[in-house]
Amino acid sequence: MAEILKKGNELGRVLVQVQDDLKQLKQSIHRLSIEDGGQALDIQALEAAIHRTGCGIQRHAEDYLKSLNNHILTLPCIENPETKPVQIPQWRPPLKALPDTRPERSRNVGPSPGQKHKTAFTLRLLSNPVHPKIRDVMCESYGIHFPELPKRTTNTMSTQKAVTGRAFGALAIVPGVRNSVYLAPPLSEEDMRAGLASLLEKPSDLGLAEAAVLPKAAQLHVREDTSLPKMGTSEKVCKRRRDMTRTKGTPKAVTEMATTPPPSQASKMSGKRVEMRRGTRLIPLTSACLPVPQATPSSRFPFVIVEGQLDTSAPDFCRFRQHYCLCGGELQGALGRLERVLRRFMVPMALVSGERLVELVQSGALEVGGHGGGGGGAGGHGCRLSALESRLLLTLENREEVQEVVGRPGQRFRGEGGAEVAAVRIQACWRRHRARSAYLQQRKRQWAAATIAVSWLMHAQLSRVRRALQARRLRSLHNCQRRAKYLADNWKRISTSRRTIIHLPSLGFSQEQRFSLWGLFDIMQNSQMGRLCDVFDDNVQVIYLAPKPVGEDLSEYYTRLLALRKAVQQGDPDAPKDPCFKRVTILTPEAWQHFPTHNMCLSTVLWHSPHTLRRIRHLIQGQQAYMVAGVPHPDDLLVAEELDVPILGPEPAVARLYGTKSGGRRVFASAGVLVPPGQRDIYTLQQLHETLADLMTQHLEVGRWLFKIDGELGGRGTAYCDMSHLHSLAWAQQRRARHQPQHWDTEWAKEEVFIRFLEEVPQLLAQHARPTHTSIFPTWDNFLSHFLRYGGVVEAYPPSDSVTCLTADVLVEPAGEVRVLVCGDQLHGPSGLEVLGWSVPQTSVCPDALHQLCTQVGRACLERGILGYVSVDLVTFLHPSTNEQQVWAVDLDLGYSNQLSLTQLTLAMSGATLDCRTSRLEVPAPIKQKTSFPRPKAQTSHVTSRYAVIGSRLLHTNLSMVHYSVFFQMCKAQGIGFDIKERQGTLFALHDSSERYSLGMVTLCEDLQGSLMTFARNLSIIHQEISAPNMQGVSNFKDLIKEIDAVLGLTIQNKSQESTEDQTEAVSDTGQD
């Protein structure tokens, strides 16, 4: 390294001495020419020769300095201290004399494949001047001999470590000026003509202070045609930057610097070149920004494009063009494209890497996108760069700064043709907005048209479907009426011959009612398994439809019960089994598992079960058959039409009309039976208030009024209001006492009371009206909304403390005959309106009067087309004013009832007969065992009376934890069972196999008191056996036991009164005698 520096210093001294000699020679020649003006001396030629010599020496000096400053220094190896001198690469002369001999692309010749390959290889070599075989190809093809260049010596020491960098030390950083903001000072024309070599020595960070050791280039000779030497210009620029850095600490300095006179155009271009070459930012810096020092350009042939214009006379570009002279045409095209891109985006300065640009041209990447510059991206009126232009920007040394400028919003509108592009952009945006708005409006109209069309098509389709369904239902109705007429004409023959009865225990409630009975609806539909007892008639075959699959335990239980027919008839438990159970077929529709959450009635599920319907058709083929449904539903007609069988029941429309509370009052009124004071078909609040006020005025003796919703079941839709809360009731009774009875019946006497009541009724109902089932209707407002929605009736509660309710089941035969099948006294729950059971036969009303009343109601039903099974709810009490017994008809239910089902089971298992005309349940006398004593010959068979207590729906949640086999063993251990010989005891009706928390129970004894006590005892035992102190469960056992205790008290009281009356009559008869 010392030898290199030594040689460099000697060469520097020689060059300086030559420069001084040339300067002196030039001055001497100039003085000689002035003195010897008349002599013929060629001074101009001599000056030109001297000038060429000076320029050559200057150029050699610059190349030497450049090589010296950028030379790679090597460190010697420790193991091998021998070093080889590093040779400085010599200068290469420019190849100006080489012509552009590239063949034209448009030439179309037909050489051989070998010649084509050789020509292609030659062209590839011509496009790469640095290829090692370019000399041989040029000499062989074109006869051009390149001069021999000395080969660069390489260091063979592999253990040496290369260190790249400048030969001088790092610059010192002055503290306190790190965040200074400044603008690069402009350069003069001398700096521009000095070339890129002088700019490479300038500091890269304008915010740096003066270095501790500054490199200073040696001055070779003074150029008179310039105001400052080249190196002096560089020092001047550095000095300017240092001065600006020192004086730029305050905003005032910035303001003064911004208001300085603008430099000349050459200074602007030079300043921009220096700023780009030193890596300064193109975006004006603010006080919050930090100047980032940039590295020295790594390209050998970099050149600058300022504001989209390339200075073709700049030395750096001239060197680049001379070095790559063979790539002239394509290179000029690429430069033109790059200039257009930079002008369009108004890029202040771009530093181009010559090597990258040539590589991009030679790779052919610019030819893929075509020759046009206005592609889809930034070309033309675009605001973004295309793929071709993005490749061009990759050739820039400061591409990050350029891309930042290009990516700045609105930058395209500041460049060349920006106003036109902005106008086109605005027009395009407006056209797009207008087209988009029109398109959206058109889409909206199309959507509206499509919606209207689809709605119309759906409406038309639904209308067609409705018409088709209506036609089908009308056809089904006509067919049903035709089959019902056939059944009526042939009823006597069908009822006594072999026949098949299809029992469909469907509850055709409304959807709201079905969903309110969630979890209990299927159990309620399957609570009439007593229908199977119809097979005790030898001419009957039963097909029973179950809502859910019947378990093996349930099927086995009823099979055993039916097999006891002969044992019951003979009174012998050891009698052989009766084969009547073989005439029972239990089916479950297959669609029950497809609708687990719909709570559909059984007829609807059966209608969607084609396999079950097909099997029923096979079972009834060639036989007389009819269907007995439950609560009528429109789907009953579809099932009957599919099976082609008549229905023993009313039409669904007729049942919907007369099966409500208001419809029942219509039937009772036409039958001429007594009904409670009240009004039906109430749908408005004003009508309710006026009706209640009028009824209260007419019947001041009534202490409670009932409100019943049409269509509700089991006493659920009932509310009550006591008149004891009415403030003006005492006043109204006083007003009535002042008038005579004949005067009180006039309207003028009651008008004042009516007006007074009408004012108090709204407040009375709002404060004191109570629903009976708070789980269904929590408040009066909730009940009132349903009442006004579905309609209802207002009825008087019997004005007595002792009220008994009855239920009578009547069969209205198609032939016109009315038969009373069952009549029993009701057992109520805690509300007094919910029915939990019955005692059969009834003992509250005179049997003849009850039979006549039921016959009248049955005939009224027959007149309105109501056929089949009908249940009539009655209430009896002693009128307080006349002390006479009155019977009111309060409700009419159309369908097969639970009381009738369990009564059929009781009659079948005891062999008893029920005569409703006499209200007697009689069983054959028990057969006594044979004795050795002779019996008298005149001995006739006797019958004994029985009383049955029936519970149709006994609920206890703990029953679900006990299997039926365990349950029966428990009952047997506690003495709960049925004695076939004595024809008395306890019978159970099982409802389902899965839940098992609901069942029915019947107790049969010789007297009513014994039956009630047995029933209560059974409930108590079962509750104790299945419950624990900490797990009582939810049940209605306790409510039923309380009701039975009250009935037992009345029974004992009635018996004591009867015995007292008998004794009184006996004493009176004895006195008369």
Side-chain angles (χ1 to χ4, degrees), residues 402-423:
V402 173
Q403 288 176 354
E404 184 177 358
V405 173
V406 171
R408 194 184 305 168
Q411 185 66 23
R412 175 64 184 93
F413 308 131
R414 299 186 181 96
E416 182 182 27
E420 179 183 358
V421 173

Side-chain angles (χ1 to χ4, degrees), residues 195-196 273 277 301-304 311 314-321:
L196 188 63
R273 288 181 182 177
R277 292 179 182 180
F301 301 99
F303 56 91
V304 179
D311 187 6
D316 49 3
F317 180 74
C318 292
R319 291 193 309 108
F320 165 74
R321 185 175 55 186

Side-chain angles (χ1 to χ4, degrees), residues 468 470-480 641:
Q470 289 176 359
R472 180 166 187 174
R473 291 188 180 275
L474 186 60
R475 184 171 62 253
S476 300
L477 180 60
H478 291 331
N479 295 334
C480 180
E641 183 182 8

Side-chain angles (χ1 to χ4, degrees), residues 49 77 126 146 258 309 314 382 446 454 467 484 514 570 604 615 636 670 715 733 914 952 974 1072:
C77 181
L126 291 177
F146 285 163
Q309 296 292 335
Q446 291 179 355
V454 171
R467 288 193 297 269
R514 296 198 304 269
Q570 298 176 7
T604 305
R615 185 176 179 185
D636 296 343
S670 63
Q733 292 176 350
L914 178 62
S952 62
Q974 296 295 332
Q1072 290 178 1

Side-chain angles (χ1 to χ4, degrees), residues 708-729:
K708 299 180 180 180
I709 300 176
D710 285 341
E712 276 296 341
L713 60 133
R716 299 193 325 160
T718 305
Y720 64 92
C721 183
D722 294 330
M723 294 299 102
S724 59
H725 304 286
L726 189 64
H727 301 293
S728 58
L729 180 61

Side-chain angles (χ1 to χ4, degrees), residues 14 54 144 196 219 400 452 604 612 758 847 900 907 975 978 1072:
V14 171
I144 300 175
L196 188 63
Q219 182 176 0
E400 290 83 3
I452 294 173
T604 305
T612 306
L758 185 60
L900 180 58
L907 297 179
F978 188 78
Q1072 290 178 1

